[in-house]
Amino acid sequence: MYKNFSYGEITPKGWLARQLRIQADGLAGNLDKMWPDVRDSAWIGGDKEGWERVPYWLDGFVPLAFLLRDEEMIARAKRYLNAIMDGQKPDGWICPCPDEKRGDYDVWALFLICKVLAEYGVYAGDERALECAARALQNLRERMLAGTTKLRQWGKFRWFEALIPLGIIKDRFGGEWEDGLAALLKEQGADYADYTGEWKTPVFHWRIFTHIVNLSMMLKTEAEYGRFSGEKYADEAQRLYDILYKYNGSAVGLINGDECLAGVSPVAGTELCAVVELMYSCERLFALTGDAKWADLLERVAFNALPAATTEDMWAHQYDQQANQIGCVHLPGKSPWMTNGSESNMFGLEPEFGCCTANFGQGWPKLAHNVFLRSEKGIVAALPLACALKTEINGVPVGVEIAGDYPFGGRMTYTVSAKRPVGFELAIRVPAGAKAKLCGKPVRGSFIKLEREWNGKTELTLELSFAPRLSPRPKKMYFAEYGPLVLCLPIKAEWKTCEFVRDGVERKLPYADYELAPGSDWAFGFASDELKMSFGKVGETPFSESAPPVMAEAWLAPVEWGFLRGYTTVADRWPKHRKALGKAKKFTLIPYGCTMLRMTELPKIIKNEK
Ligand SMILES: [Zn+2]
C-alpha cells in the first residue's frame, strides 16, 4: 500500500528531533561504548552475546544515526554493519556461531540481522547490505529445505519477522525464491490463532505463546504474508488484538504482560520490548493496509507508554511499566508480577533482563521514519508530527514540512513546496476523535486528500482539538484522556541511585539503576467528570515531569485503597471502596509519558456506597 522514504529524505523537527537527540546522548546512543553485550559482542569478533542483542541495538541505532545526520554515529553504526557483512560465510550464513553449531542456532537472530541489513540497505542506500541479506535468506531457504535448520523456540514464534527483509529483497531483486521461503517459514512457524483460548485467563506460567513481546510482534503476520501469497487481507490483526485487549488491555493501548499475559489490572505490567514492537507492528500495519486505526494506536503507545518507560535523559529504562505505578523499587521477597522478578519495574541499565536495553532504541527513530510515507498517488502525511520531507515526484523536487507541537498543541502547518508544477496527492491523516479544521474549514474523516497541481510554496493550516474526557476501564475504573494523550496523577518520587557491578556488568552514573519510592498520596477517586485543560510550552525535554506541556485540572477525593500482597510500594489492583474519605480537592493531571510514578486508573466517587 505505502512505502517508506529513505532516511535521507526525512528530517525530524521540533520536539521529535529533540527527543531523538536525547536518545542519541543517552543509553541507546552509547551502548557500543559501555555495555559488554554490544561493545564486545561476538557479532564483531568479541566474546560476548552473539544472538539478538547487537541486531536489536542496530535496529534502533542505524535509523537514529541517519535521521540525525550524525556522521560520528553513522561511522560507529557502519563499523558494526561492515564487520557483520565481512563475517558472512561463502554460503551466505551470517550469524556468529561455529559451523558445527549452526543447527542449534535459534534463527530468530538471523531474521533480525537480515531485517537490520535490508532496512539499512534500502533506506540508507547500501547495495552490499541488501545483497548480504538476500544471500543470508537464500542460505536459510537451502538449510530449511535440507532440514539442517528447523524453526524452533523464538524462530518458530517470530517467523513472520523474516518476511520484512524478504519483502524488501523481493521488491528489489524480484526473484521467485522469496515466495517459496515465505511459505516454508509459514509452514514451520507458529500460528497464533491456535492459542487464542489461552489468552483469556492469565496464568502464572511462562508460555511462549502468551509471551507479551511475541504477541505484540505477531499482529502484522497476515499483512506481511499477503505480500507473498497474494491472499486477500481479512484484518486478522484486529481480531487478535481485540481478544488480547479485552482480557489483557491497558489504558494506553498496550497488551499487559509481565512477562506473559497478565490481565486487565492497572498494576499488571508491560515489558518495554512489547511497547516498541507494538509500535513497529502498527507502523507496518498502517503502511501495508492503509488503515488509519493502526496509526491511532501507534500514537497512543508512542506518546504515552514509550516515554513513560525511560528517564527524562533516556539513560535508564524499565523492563515493565504499570498504569498505576506508585513505586519502582527492588522488592523484598518474591515479585508480585506474573513471572518477572522483583526488580522488573525499576529504572536502570538492564533491570530484569537485557533485551529491552538493546531493543528499546527502535521506538523513536522508527516513529520519525514513519511520519511520511509514499503512496502510488503521492505522499501520505501519516502522523501530524514536526518533520520535513524532501523527495522527488515525476522528477520534480518536492517537499512537505510539518511544523507545530502535536500532540501537545493542536495547530500544525503543512508547507508543501514544488520546484516546478507537478500533480500529486497529499493525504493528510487526521487522528481519530479530533475536531479538525483545514485552513479554517471543518473537515471530516481519517484522511484529507488533496489531489492537485502543486507549484511553489503552499501553506496549509491544520487545527486539531479534542474533548477531554474520563473513559471507562474494567471494574468501574476510569482514566483521563485528551486525544492520544492519557493524563494521570503524578506521584512524587523519592529517588535512590544504585551503583554496583553484577556479572561483570557495571552500573554507574550516568547509567546507574534507580529505585523510586512513593513520596506523596496516591489513593484517590474522581470526584467530578470535569477536566480543565491547559497547554504550556514544549521544553527542551518534551516529556518533562517538572514542566509538562499539557495539563488537566481535575477534582479528586481520597478513597480507601490497599497495597498488593502487603508491598507498600505496589498499589492493590483496585480500591477497597469508592466512598470519599475526605473533601475533594483540585489536582493537576499530566501526560502519562511525563510521569515516573503515577495513578492512571481511578474509581469515580460514589456517594453512600455500602
Ligand atoms: Zn525486553
Side-chain angles (χ1 to χ4, degrees):
M1 186 91 186
Y2 305 141
K3 301 264 184 220
N4 281 102
F5 288 100
S6 69
Y7 299 138
E9 290 171 300
I10 304 254
T11 310
K13 301 272 183 182
W15 74 258
L16 185 59
R18 297 204 289 284
Q19 192 67 45
L20 293 177
R21 193 67 247 171
I22 291 170
Q23 176 171 328
D25 294 341
L27 188 62
N30 287 288
L31 281 177
D32 57 325
K33 296 177 187 164
M34 37 61 65
W35 197 46
D37 280 350
V38 170
R39 186 189 60 203
D40 309 321
S41 170
W43 283 100
I44 53 160
D47 59 358
K48 294 289 189 296
E49 209 256 20
W51 192 51
E52 66 180 8
R53 293 191 176 178
V54 153
Y56 261 158
W57 172 66
L58 289 170
D59 198 27
F61 189 78
V62 171
L64 181 67
F66 280 92
L67 289 170
L68 286 174
R69 317 277 191 274
D70 187 316
E71 292 302 329
E72 190 256 350
M73 286 172 69
I74 290 171
R76 283 158 56 205
K78 282 189 176 171
R79 194 188 133 228
Y80 277 74
L81 293 162
N82 289 333
I84 292 166
M85 291 190 273
D86 290 346
Q88 187 165 35
K89 298 286 164 67
D91 66 356
W93 179 265
I94 200 165
C95 301
C97 81
D99 288 351
E100 65 278 10
K101 294 260 175 78
R102 285 184 186 184
D104 300 328
Y105 192 86
D106 188 327
V107 288
W108 146 239
L110 171 67
F111 306 162
L112 198 48
I113 199 64
C114 285
K115 180 177 78 165
V116 167
L117 289 172
E119 292 198 337
Y120 160 68
V122 73
Y123 303 134
D126 187 328
E127 208 59 30
R128 182 187 171 207
L130 284 169
E131 284 160 15
C132 276
R135 281 198 288 130
L137 289 167
Q138 278 171 326
N139 175 250
L140 172 69
R141 176 172 168 267
E142 285 155 18
R143 294 183 60 84
M144 287 180 75
L145 285 171
T148 48
T149 285
K150 291 194 180 81
L151 297 193
R152 56 186 181 82
Q153 279 290 91
W154 301 101
K156 180 176 173 182
F157 281 84
R158 295 179 176 179
W159 65 273
F160 43 82
E161 212 69 9
L163 302 179
I164 295 153
L166 199 57
I168 292 172
I169 302 299
K170 186 182 170 184
D171 281 355
R172 174 56 67 101
F173 302 114
E176 283 173 10
W177 62 273
E178 294 93 346
D179 294 351
L181 176 55
L184 264 179
L185 289 162
K186 185 173 196 281
E187 194 184 299
Q188 288 191 26
D191 183 350
Y192 282 84
D194 293 343
Y195 301 103
T196 54
E198 317 276 344
W199 299 349
K200 297 178 182 177
T201 317
V203 289
F204 283 82
H205 297 294
W206 195 97
R207 296 277 185 269
I208 203 162
F209 47 81
T210 64
H211 186 273
I212 196 57
V213 184
N214 291 350
L215 294 170
S216 302
M217 293 167 75
M218 66 80 193
L219 293 168
K220 56 189 174 290
T221 305
E222 186 202 6
E224 294 286 356
Y225 190 67
R227 304 170 75 188
F228 304 91
S229 68
E231 283 164 24
K232 195 170 177 290
Y233 185 69
D235 209 3
E236 181 73 348
Q238 187 67 54
R239 187 181 79 83
L240 297 175
Y241 178 81
D242 286 347
I243 301 170
L244 290 167
Y245 193 81
K246 181 177 177 187
Y247 298 98
N248 306 275
S250 85
V252 291
L254 296 173
I255 308 303
N256 287 323
D258 51 21
E259 88 192 8
C260 296
L261 289 174
V264 292
S265 123
V267 292
T270 302
E271 185 188 331
L272 182 49
C273 278
V275 173
V276 291
E277 293 295 352
L278 181 57
M279 285 174 59
Y280 185 64
S281 289
C282 289
E283 287 156 8
R284 295 298 302 154
L285 281 161
F286 179 72
L288 290 165
T289 69
D291 194 335
K293 69 189 176 193
W294 298 114
D296 291 315
L297 179 58
L298 169 63
E299 287 193 11
R300 193 166 193 77
V301 177
F303 303 151
N304 299 292
L306 178 61
T310 58
T311 49
E312 290 182 9
D313 64 6
M314 291 192 78
W315 269 104
H317 72 280
Q318 289 178 293
Y319 194 79
D320 290 333
Q321 66 176 285
Q322 288 100 17
N324 285 356
Q325 178 174 283
I326 63 164
C328 298
V329 303
H330 193 148
L331 294 164
K334 201 177 173 305
S335 107
W337 325 128
M338 295 296 279
T339 57
N340 284 156
S342 52
E343 62 176 40
S344 50
N345 81 341
M346 278 176 62
F347 285 82
L349 175 67
E350 45 171 60
E352 175 69 17
F353 194 65
C355 53
C356 304
T357 311
N359 190 18
F360 84 90
Q362 68 165 301
W364 290 119
K366 290 191 184 173
L367 183 81
H369 188 213
N370 281 279
V371 168
F372 295 103
L373 294 165
R374 186 188 287 278
S375 70
E376 274 181 19
K377 291 180 165 183
I379 296 165
V380 181
L383 302 166
L385 295 177
C387 196
L389 169 73
K390 272 190 182 164
T391 187
E392 275 194 6
I393 292 183
N394 296 333
V396 181
V398 300
V400 182
E401 179 159 350
I402 307 176
D405 289 335
Y406 179 85
F408 309 116
R411 190 183 161 84
M412 307 299 293
T413 56
Y414 289 65
T415 306
V416 188
S417 52
K419 277 240 162 154
R420 301 190 297 276
V422 59
F424 66 90
E425 180 188 270
L426 172 65
I428 298 175
R429 178 182 144 267
V430 176
K435 224 167 108 183
K437 282 183 186 171
L438 185 72
C439 304
K441 286 188 187 147
V443 284
R444 286 174 181 276
S446 301
F447 293 96
I448 305 166
K449 292 184 175 172
L450 306 168
E451 193 170 1
R452 60 173 80 157
E453 188 177 83
W454 305 87
N455 189 17
K457 266 201 167 110
T458 311
E459 194 173 287
L460 307 159
T461 312
L462 179 68
E463 284 166 89
L464 302 168
S465 64
F466 301 90
R469 63 181 184 190
L470 295 186
S471 297
R473 289 281 301 150
K475 300 268 184 188
K476 293 189 194 164
M477 301 287 273
Y478 290 84
F479 70 101
E481 57 181 339
Y482 179 81
L485 291 175
V486 171
L487 300 153
C488 52
L489 178 69
I491 311 298
K492 197 169 170 290
E494 286 166 4
W495 288 69
K496 182 181 152 196
T497 304
C498 315
E499 294 184 294
F500 62 101
V501 180
R502 187 161 67 201
D503 300 332
V505 183
E506 197 171 31
R507 280 83 165 163
K508 64 171 188 188
L509 287 170
Y511 46 92
D513 282 7
Y514 302 95
E515 290 194 89
L516 279 63
S520 61
D521 294 336
W522 52 269
F524 295 98
F526 288 110
S528 155
D529 279 11
E530 195 189 329
L531 293 168
K532 198 171 151 199
M533 301 299 302
S534 59
F535 298 86
K537 201 171 161 290
V538 190
E540 282 305 305
T541 302
F543 293 90
S544 161
E545 184 156 1
S546 57
V550 174
M551 286 171 280
E553 198 177 275
W555 288 88
L556 306 180
V559 295
E560 192 181 356
W561 208 318
F563 295 105
L564 186 68
R565 289 196 248 149
Y567 288 110
T568 55
T569 55
V570 187
D572 209 346
R573 293 186 295 169
W574 292 291
K576 290 191 192 328
H577 292 289
R578 286 146 210 277
K579 269 188 301 193
L581 296 179
K583 273 194 175 171
K585 279 197 239 165
K586 259 193 242 175
F587 285 84
T588 302
L589 309 186
I590 67 170
Y592 181 107
C594 294
T595 61
M596 306 293 293
L597 301 181
R598 62 188 156 263
M599 288 294 281
T600 307
E601 295 190 27
L602 304 176
K604 281 188 186 177
I605 299 291
I606 297 175
K607 280 171 193 160
N608 303 322
E609 191 192 48
K610 281 176 188 159

